[in-house]
Amino acid sequence: MTDDADPNPGLLVVAAVDRCLELARTWHAWDGRPIARTMDDGLPNTWTPHKALRRIADHLVDHLHQVEALLAGATPLPDEWLGRTVTLDADWSRFTEPDYAEACSRLRRLGRWYVLRYETAGADAWDQPRPDAWTLREIAEHVAGVTYYADQVGSLD
């Protein structure tokens, strides 16, 4: 068990997932119109509830794979996601109550996986330097920024 003075960094991911789902709870009100945003480079970007959830899940999976590879001493597979620059046909689907329930089940499990994995690795591993890679703590801090994707859709209340 970890010391309360140095909480498990995976808890940051759980809190971020909770925030994403708090916003997603309102997305059944989405009217099907594109949500226009501008990316950091000034290019236009289109968002939908399903695109945001796809990106959240992809981000969680991508960095969880990175954590597992680092702990195993393996090279992570390269990131080949299409990312936020594309909107897939499936992203345009209606967002229903069962879609929200499915997202809750999927994302909460992924968030908890971080906590469990970090707990298993132990506190000594969290800040251990690794060649050409972030520490486990830095990965969790980065992943906690996953709320960016949910914020692109925002609250539709």
Side-chain angles (χ1 to χ4, degrees), residues 28-60:
H28 64 278
W30 181 56
D31 61 10
R33 291 183 294 167
I35 299 167
R37 299 285 184 247
T38 304
M39 294 190 345
D40 299 337
D41 57 9
L43 294 175
N45 199 226
T46 300
W47 287 88
T48 70
H50 283 291
K51 179 178 179 176
L53 289 171
R54 173 175 57 84
R55 291 304 308 134
I56 292 164
D58 290 353
H59 200 70
L60 293 171

Side-chain angles (χ1 to χ4, degrees), residues 1-40:
M1 205 62 166
T2 59
D3 183 342
D4 287 343
D6 190 14
N8 184 324
L11 293 170
L12 296 172
V13 178
V14 169
V17 164
D18 287 345
R19 174 64 183 144
C20 291
L21 292 173
E22 180 183 321
L23 290 172
R25 181 184 305 274
T26 69
W27 294 350
H28 64 278
W30 181 56
D31 61 10
R33 291 183 294 167
I35 299 167
R37 299 285 184 247
T38 304
M39 294 190 345
D40 299 337

Side-chain angles (χ1 to χ4, degrees), residues 9-18 20-21 52-68 79 81 103-115 117-118 139-147 149:
L11 293 170
L12 296 172
V13 178
V14 169
V17 164
D18 287 345
C20 291
L21 292 173
L53 289 171
R54 173 175 57 84
R55 291 304 308 134
I56 292 164
D58 290 353
H59 200 70
L60 293 171
V61 167
D62 184 43
H63 288 290
L64 188 56
H65 168 74
Q66 180 186 17
V67 167
E68 293 290 354
D79 176 355
W81 304 110
C104 287
S105 186
R106 181 178 304 108
L107 298 181
R108 285 185 179 134
R109 280 173 171 74
L110 285 168
R112 184 165 185 248
W113 197 341
Y114 279 84
V115 173
R117 190 62 188 110
Y118 277 57
I139 292 169
E141 290 168 349
H142 169 77
V143 173
V146 75
T147 55
Y149 300 116

